[in-house]
Amino acid sequence: MTQKSFKRLDSRDKIFHIILFLIMLWVLFITLFPFLNVLAISFNDSADTARGGVGIFPRVFTLENYTQLARFPAMWTGLYISLARTIIGTALGLFCTSMLAYVISRQDFMFRKAITTMFILTMYVSGGLIPHFMVIRMFGLNNTFWVYIIPTLISAWNLIIIRSFIDSLPYSLQESAFIDGANDLTIFFKIILPLCLPVLMTVALFIAVFQWNSWFDTYLFAPFNESITTLQFELMKILEGAATGGQLGDAGNIQMAHNVSPLSLRMAATVVTMLPMLLAYPFVQRFFVSGMTLGAVKE
């Protein structure tokens, strides 16, 4: 609302807008405060943090917490593996999900309803953790990098999202391409994928966030293999080590040898793990509202 339009309102409307503005300002504050508090503690001196009362700004600014965190060798391995699984898992997962979504969206495919129903059932019925572990071990994926990629290639939820978007596209685009002699692969790569760019970027963000934040699969299938550890798993170890007195692995050794506050180390690790997603989100957000069917054939 502009200043001129605000002046034209009567007194009751002005009071309403002022109260609404104050409420939204309060909601914004309580939403940002936890993040700003974590950021402030991560940049605050450990001895000063132990006194408590750190708000949204560090009282004694220092980079010592991040310096000591960088001495944790597994953090660098975890960072590399987390980046690799996020990039590879997002690319392969998006490709496989979008291709399957195109197949079951085809009106001339006789098994489209059966396959769709099968995937929807997986959202409500699960075999359980033990059968899942046994299947992973039977295929020899435990203690390998591909245990992060293959079991999560296709998500039923993402499949439904992409298929619904493809169904909303004019089917005459595919029919006209068939008349011109295009095959299914040409239609998929030259027509469907370019038009599905907004939903593909949205689903890519979903997959990337899942891959980046996942740690339980590392805990189940590679808990002692530091060559394929993940950043989130190392963060979990630091949080658990701090909760149990800081004696868990290298995290506890860092806290004891360098007199680093467990709380400061936890906050610094938290900032490191969530920073990449915060940086990537603004570049993906613009695809959420962009329309790629503008100018296409309408029915």
Side-chain angles (χ1 to χ4, degrees):
M1 178 179 293
T2 62
Q3 185 176 2
K4 292 183 180 179
S5 60
F6 182 77
K7 290 181 179 179
R8 288 196 295 265
L9 298 176
D10 56 30
S11 58
R12 291 184 178 180
D13 290 336
K14 289 181 179 180
I15 294 175
F16 172 77
H17 281 85
I18 292 174
I19 294 176
L20 183 62
F21 173 77
L22 293 177
I23 293 175
M24 292 297 102
L25 193 63
W26 172 248
V27 172
L28 178 64
F29 174 75
I30 62 177
T31 303
L32 291 179
F33 179 79
F35 171 75
L36 296 177
N37 181 250
V38 169
L39 194 64
I41 294 177
S42 69
F43 283 107
N44 197 65
D45 181 71
S46 294
D48 184 74
T49 301
R51 295 167 46 202
V54 179
I56 61 176
F57 299 103
R59 283 195 301 251
V60 182
F61 181 84
T62 181
L63 296 176
E64 185 66 19
N65 300 322
Y66 291 94
T67 302
Q68 300 302 335
L69 188 66
R71 297 183 180 181
F72 188 14
M75 291 294 291
W76 293 104
T77 305
L79 177 62
Y80 170 75
I81 296 298
S82 292
L83 286 174
R85 71 173 292 180
T86 301
I87 296 173
I88 298 175
T90 301
L92 292 180
L94 192 63
F95 176 76
C96 294
T97 305
S98 59
M99 180 170 287
L100 180 58
Y102 168 68
V103 171
I104 64 176
S105 69
R106 290 291 305 273
Q107 299 179 7
D108 55 351
F109 182 53
M110 67 172 62
F111 300 111
R112 57 179 302 203
K113 291 185 178 179
I115 295 178
T116 304
T117 302
M118 181 184 65
F119 274 94
I120 292 177
L121 286 177
T122 62
M123 300 174 62
Y124 300 97
V125 181
S126 173
L129 184 59
I130 295 178
H132 176 66
F133 180 84
M134 294 176 63
V135 170
I136 296 298
R137 188 176 63 177
M138 181 179 64
F139 283 97
L141 294 177
N142 54 320
N143 282 312
T144 65
F145 174 78
W146 294 106
V147 74
Y148 303 142
I149 309 298
I150 295 178
T152 57
L153 270 181
I154 297 178
S155 166
W157 175 255
N158 295 335
L159 180 67
I160 294 173
I161 293 177
I162 299 178
R163 181 207 158 166
S164 300
F165 190 90
I166 296 177
D167 287 338
S168 67
L169 299 176
Y171 192 69
S172 56
L173 292 173
Q174 300 183 37
E175 291 178 335
S176 60
F178 272 119
I179 294 174
D180 292 336
N183 55 27
D184 287 318
L185 289 177
T186 302
I187 294 175
F188 176 70
F189 286 106
K190 296 295 184 65
I191 298 177
I192 299 300
L193 284 186
L195 292 177
C196 290
L197 186 59
V199 70
L200 292 180
M201 296 303 296
T202 303
V203 172
L205 181 62
F206 294 161
I207 300 175
V209 171
F210 167 78
Q211 290 285 2
W212 179 262
N213 290 332
S214 182
W215 64 270
F216 194 62
D217 46 7
T218 309
Y219 179 78
L220 287 178
F221 305 116
F224 305 110
N225 191 348
E226 293 189 356
S227 62
I228 57 171
T229 187
T230 57
L231 192 61
Q232 299 294 342
F233 182 65
E234 295 304 322
L235 172 62
M236 186 275 297
K237 289 166 59 177
I238 291 176
L239 296 178
E240 184 178 343
T244 57
Q247 302 298 321
L248 186 64
D250 292 336
N253 296 333
I254 290 176
Q255 295 168 14
M256 296 175 59
H258 302 279
N259 196 25
V260 178
S261 167
L263 179 61
S264 300
L265 192 62
R266 288 159 52 192
M267 296 307 176
T270 302
V271 172
V272 170
T273 53
M274 68 181 177
L275 187 60
M277 288 295 105
L278 291 177
L279 296 178
Y281 180 77
F283 297 98
V284 182
Q285 185 186 21
R286 64 188 182 94
F287 291 98
F288 288 1
V289 294
S290 61
M292 297 299 293
T293 58
L294 185 63
V297 177
K298 303 296 181 181
E299 293 183 320

